Amino acid sequence: MPLDANAIARGCGGALRTAEQLCLGQMERFTAALAEGRPITVACTAQAPLFREAAEDAGSDLPLIFANVREHAGWSRDAKRAGPKMAAILAAAAEPMPTVPLTPLTSEGVALILGRDAAALDLAETLKDRLDLTVLLTGAEPVPPRPTTEYPVLRGRVRTATGWLGNFELAVDGYAMPRPSSRDAYAWGPARNGARSRCDIVIDLSGEAPLFHETRQGYLRADPGDAAAVARIAREAGELIGSFDKPRFIAFEAGLCAHSRNRRTGCTRCLDLCPTGAITPGKDSVAISAEICAGCGACAAVCPTGAAQYALPPSDAMAGRIRRMLLAYTEAGGRDAVLLLHDAAHGEPLLDALARHGDGLPATVLPLRVNEVTAVDLGLIVGALAWGAGAVRLLLPAKRPHGSDGLFRTIDYAAAALGGLGLAQAVPRVAAIETDDPFTLGETLSALPRMGYAHAPESFLPMGAPREILRAGLSALHRASGGNATTVPMPAQAPFGVARVAADGCTLCLACTSVCPTGAFSANPEAPQLRFLEDACVQCGLCAATCPESVITLEPRLNFTPEARQPVVVKEEAPFHCLRCQKPFGTASSIAKVKAKLAAHWMFADPARLRVLEMCEDCRVIEATEGGIDPYAGPTRPTAKTTEDWQREAERAKRSDA
């Protein structure tokens, strides 16, 4: 493959060394570079183990980075024009990534096999020497008992199931032991409901609806009639003993969550999208189980406050890699970049096949691997466009993976923003490519028109939470569009917008300020005043759900005016002054509303006592103690009468009648 050394050197920086056969005939060039004591990026992934071994033999502990410029750039019909692209790939690979947080899981090999027929016992015979087994049959089909069994065989049906590898708990109804007299088929003794089973592994051969999502670790399921599938899970189950480190995909900050306050529900975006059941509602926030989470990242991609952030890697680190790639591509002379985001399991094999058996990727397509494409958030897409990408494509399987609904929602948000800014084209700048065929992928990418911008790429650093990165990217695109657009309507559930308050109906109770998780609604401590900061609003809906007067409505939009970044007074009134001390407290409308509601109450039948409501909390105490008003007094209670009193009155009445 041809190497444009000048373009590569301009784009990726550092000291560039080239070779024709570095891994074999020119290995001394690699060892000489090690001796310089500087970090090394090797533009080859195929021989990575060989280079690591050479570095170990040389006693070097320098970080080694490997980048694939062969399948992703050099093996292509456009190889002669791929110099800027190679520079971009090398620059992105050198961008440091933080370590991955881990969640420990421990399994002692206690396994429960759920079955309907003899296939469950056959599997148990295969695994009995490796796992501590219990077999739970449904009893729907007759099963011949084994002459000798080294594990319990029971009957029952699972009613509920929770947990993960090393910590499953199942509730079983119809639980029964086999009768010793069982002859040609198991006969069962008395049954009971509500039995509990705790185990490390659940193997499901029942042929019924799955207990968990397919990604739940420690839960293995197969059709009992599929011998190959049963053999596969037997192999997997035998390896699930010991301690395992599972990546902690989501970093969650409960204090930022906008799910609920005071038993009022607001944002449910993550709950609506999570396919695995890893997210559950809580009192004020959701709870995310790191043990159950499969890492699709849909929750982090749509979280409006940044309470849930993807950690493999974090959004700001991935944004830094995208920025480095695109700026290096431009510096090396590249134009009209198309950023192709793909994963390892699906995307890498397609790119490899396209390079080896097809025309390879076009020179303008910059492939970048992410852990999960469904975890890509709006900030990464908008940032890529601001840093110089003419288009962004997200590679997905033909059968949409779990969690992809959030990604397509994000694509819609990007399309609405670009359309409102006047940056859209006939061919969408942001779209998904859903295919399992490498040649279809190549044809789709080759057919893309040039979609560069007339402006120079921005170079702002991706700092802060995903929302800050998104805000910086949107501001950059607004400048690129000429700055003419003031507001851009957005689809429902977009994380930007205005909360409109019908001021006539607002009583300044300030309930909205106490539930707003981002401080978009705030009070003025010096005066009866409600303020709103649009730039902070995430459209969670807690304010609308909490408002007792139901005068708040949400309108998703982007607002690029300076007013969006300044608190705006949406309702204010003159303060009400205490009748005794003239200290301001409350508002005239709120006092009038309270008086109107309590005027009919027996405790305030006397106007003098109703007047107490027009006093501050201190003066009410003084009025009650010095003003002769008993706040707990009521109407005169009737005199109690005994049976003798009634009898005497009846006797008097008789005498008077006589």
Side-chain angles (χ1 to χ4, degrees), residues 338 364-365 391 393 427-428 433 443-451:
V338 176
T364 57
V365 175
R393 290 296 180 266
V427 176
I433 300 176
E443 292 168 0
T444 302
L445 293 172
S446 298
L448 289 177
R450 300 281 182 170
M451 290 193 286

Side-chain angles (χ1 to χ4, degrees), residues 4 20 23 65 70 84 97 110 128 264-265 269 312 333 376 411 435 448 461 466 511 552 572:
D4 185 347
E20 290 76 35
C23 57
I65 301 167
R70 189 176 67 179
M97 292 287 112
V110 179
K128 66 182 181 181
R264 299 286 185 176
T265 300
R269 291 170 174 86
L312 197 62
V376 174
I411 292 174
T435 183
L448 289 177
L461 292 172
I552 300 178
E572 64 179 335

Side-chain angles (χ1 to χ4, degrees), residues 138-422:
T138 62
E141 298 185 17
V143 177
R146 300 296 169 96
T148 303
T149 55
E150 302 175 28
Y151 42 82
V153 178
L154 309 166
R155 187 194 71 178
R157 287 185 176 275
V158 177
R159 183 178 70 213
T160 60
T162 59
W164 51 84
L165 175 65
N167 189 29
F168 285 106
E169 181 172 344
L170 298 87
V172 179
D173 288 341
Y175 174 84
M177 302 281 289
R179 295 185 183 277
S181 58
S182 301
R183 186 177 178 184
D184 59 334
Y186 279 111
W188 305 101
R192 66 183 177 90
N193 294 333
R196 295 281 172 177
S197 174
R198 293 178 176 84
C199 57
D200 300 319
I201 307 164
V202 177
I203 305 174
D204 190 351
L205 299 183
S206 66
E208 298 178 350
L211 300 178
F212 304 103
H213 190 268
E214 59 187 9
T215 59
R216 186 72 59 98
Q217 286 191 291
Y219 176 64
L220 308 174
R221 182 172 178 267
D223 183 345
D226 187 342
V230 173
R232 173 180 56 79
I233 66 170
R235 212 167 39 247
E236 294 176 4
E239 299 173 353
L240 293 179
I241 302 177
S243 297
F244 305 88
D245 286 330
K246 180 179 184 291
R248 185 178 290 270
F249 297 104
I250 302 297
F252 182 67
E253 179 59 52
L256 298 176
C257 182
H259 171 58
S260 65
R261 297 287 190 279
N262 302 331
R263 300 183 180 179
R264 299 286 185 176
T265 300
C267 177
T268 60
R269 291 170 174 86
C270 60
L271 289 166
D272 297 338
L273 289 176
C274 180
T276 64
I279 305 178
T280 53
K283 181 179 179 181
D284 288 333
S285 70
V286 299
I288 301 180
S289 170
E291 294 83 1
I292 296 175
C293 175
C296 72
C299 56
V302 300
C303 181
T305 64
Q309 296 190 34
Y310 205 66
L312 197 62
S315 185
D316 57 346
M318 181 54 64
R321 178 163 283 183
I322 292 173
R323 173 185 178 272
R324 184 88 176 268
M325 169 176 270
L326 290 166
L327 294 182
Y329 177 77
T330 303
E331 185 67 24
R335 296 292 181 270
D336 306 315
V338 176
L339 180 65
L340 178 65
L341 299 174
H342 65 90
D343 62 8
H346 174 255
E348 286 289 347
L350 261 64
L351 300 185
D352 184 80
L354 184 61
R356 294 177 181 275
H357 307 293
D359 293 334
L361 289 173
T364 57
V365 175
L366 309 182
L368 183 62
R369 188 174 75 187
V370 296
N371 189 62
E372 291 286 350
V373 177
T374 49
V376 174
D377 58 52
L378 186 58
L380 294 181
I381 293 175
V382 170
L385 296 172
W387 290 316
V392 177
R393 290 296 180 266
L394 303 114
L395 180 56
L396 294 173
K399 181 182 178 182
R400 291 186 177 180
H402 60 269
S404 58
D405 289 347
L407 176 64
F408 284 95
R409 187 185 299 175
T410 299
I411 292 174
D412 290 341
Y413 297 159
L418 291 171
L421 292 173

Side-chain angles (χ1 to χ4, degrees), residues 14-63:
L16 180 64
R17 312 288 172 83
T18 61
E20 290 76 35
Q21 201 179 65
L22 183 65
C23 57
L24 296 176
Q26 297 168 321
M27 181 61 79
E28 74 280 356
R29 300 191 186 185
F30 174 71
T31 55
L34 285 174
E36 296 180 8
R38 293 188 291 176
I40 295 176
T41 300
V42 181
C44 174
T45 54
Q47 296 296 333
L50 178 63
F51 291 115
R52 290 194 182 98
E53 182 180 349
E56 184 177 347
D57 292 342
S60 173
D61 57 357
L62 293 172

